[in-house]
């Protein structure tokens, strides 16, 4: 076993993810957003611990300013999503003949919805059909502001990765 591997830091835990979500909610209030939709991007894992590969079917986390988290996924993916979420929340499903964007619009009945700036274009276009343009906002600046700041746990993991790389 390489020497660096013996000093492996702990992974990011639920408490840190909850703190990240609380910080996002604080920024959402300032930006007058009721919720933020985070698609299958690296930000999904950053905030929820859930890793998901992008596809033509929307799987995402809907982070509400009031503290709730909803996971949006096709019905046939429910069990898989249930097994990998790192932050508790409701799992809402949609079927092939239904619109996931209408489901999101229903969950954000009033207020503005911020979008992860890394979501696929078809997600944005689908949401534009489900809700008025003036209710959609760019959440990229909020997400990126938080992701630029590194916690001690993140720095420890980055230092560990660097040590392994240098050792190899």
């Amino acid at each position: 076993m390489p020497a660096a591997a013996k000093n492996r830091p702990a992974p990011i835990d639920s408490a840190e993810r909850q703190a990240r979500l609380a910080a996002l909610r604080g920024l959402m209030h300032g930006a007058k957003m009721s919720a933020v939709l985070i698609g299958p991007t690296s930000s999904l894992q950053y905030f929820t611990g859930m890793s998901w590969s992008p596809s033509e079917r929307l799987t995402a986390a809907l982070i509400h300013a009031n503290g709730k988290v909803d996971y949006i996924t096709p019905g046939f993916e429910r069990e898989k999503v249930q097994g990998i979420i790192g932050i508790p929340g409701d799992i809402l499903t949609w079927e092939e003949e239904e619109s996931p964007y209408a489901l999101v619009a229903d969950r954000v009945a009033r207020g503005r919805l911020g979008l992860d700036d890394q979501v696929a274009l078809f997600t944005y276009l689908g949401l534009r059909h489900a809700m008025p343009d003036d209710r959609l906002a760019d959440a990229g600046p909020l997400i990126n502001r938080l992701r630029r700041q590194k916690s001690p746990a993140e720095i420890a993991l980055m230092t560990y990765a660097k040590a392994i790389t240098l050792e190899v």
Side-chain angles (χ1 to χ4, degrees), residues 8-119:
R8 183 182 186 136
I12 302 298
D13 62 14
S14 179
E16 180 152 343
R17 285 197 168 77
Q18 291 287 5
R20 292 171 177 176
L21 289 170
L24 178 60
R25 288 183 186 108
L27 294 175
M28 288 165 60
H29 287 294
K32 295 181 174 53
M33 292 180 193
S34 299
V36 168
L37 185 74
I38 301 176
T41 67
S42 60
S43 292
L44 184 64
Q45 185 169 9
Y46 178 83
F47 287 106
T48 70
M50 180 178 152
S51 180
W52 197 265
S53 296
S55 79
E56 72 280 2
R57 292 179 179 92
L58 179 66
T59 292
L62 186 61
I63 312 302
H64 296 271
N66 67 8
K68 290 187 63 163
V69 176
D70 293 329
Y71 295 94
I72 313 294
T73 193
F76 69 90
E77 298 285 18
R78 180 182 178 76
E79 285 186 34
K80 185 175 180 182
V81 168
Q82 193 168 12
I84 63 172
I85 58 174
I87 296 294
D90 292 336
I91 300 174
L92 309 172
T93 61
W94 55 276
E95 298 304 326
E96 292 295 321
E97 70 278 3
E98 298 174 324
S99 167
Y101 313 110
L103 178 59
V104 171
D106 286 346
R107 295 302 280 189
V108 187
R110 290 179 278 141
R112 291 175 59 218
L113 172 65
L115 297 177
D116 175 355
D117 64 356
Q118 298 299 307
V119 297

